[in-house]
Amino acid sequence: RAPVQALFLLGRGSEPGVRRLGASEALARLTASAFLPRWWAPGLEAGLDALASLARSTPVFALCSEPDGRLAARVGAAALLAPTARSENGGPW
């Protein structure tokens, strides 16, 4: 089991880069991409509470890639290959 150190929301645009999101924007974007059981009130409430807690406690970044997706592919590959110890010894977030 490994703690979540940061979340990256991938997107495409004309200007590649990384931008840290505030908690409210992070929550809005996480909610838009989450599968929440809207037909079951207790599940919906639990899901929204979990997303709100995650948005408050975990750094969330928007990673904007070139229109062809090259930057997102490079970052995704680097994240898969990075050792987990990096975040445990004071990583960038």
Side-chain angles (χ1 to χ4, degrees):
R1 204 170 169 196
V4 174
Q5 297 295 316
L7 294 173
F8 288 85
L9 304 176
L10 304 179
R12 292 185 180 164
S14 59
E15 285 292 319
V18 178
R19 178 176 62 91
R20 185 169 181 174
L21 305 178
S24 60
E25 185 179 2
L27 177 58
R29 295 198 44 192
L30 288 169
T31 302
S33 62
F35 177 76
L36 297 169
R38 299 184 196 293
W39 62 91
W40 184 46
L44 176 61
E45 184 176 343
L48 290 173
D49 287 346
L51 290 174
S53 176
L54 186 64
R56 283 190 307 271
S57 64
T58 305
V60 180
F61 296 88
L63 173 61
C64 188
S65 182
E66 293 94 339
D68 64 4
R70 287 178 290 153
L71 179 61
R74 287 194 307 268
V75 169
L80 290 174
L81 298 174
T84 57
R86 179 174 164 243
S87 61
E88 294 173 0
N89 64 9
W93 32 79

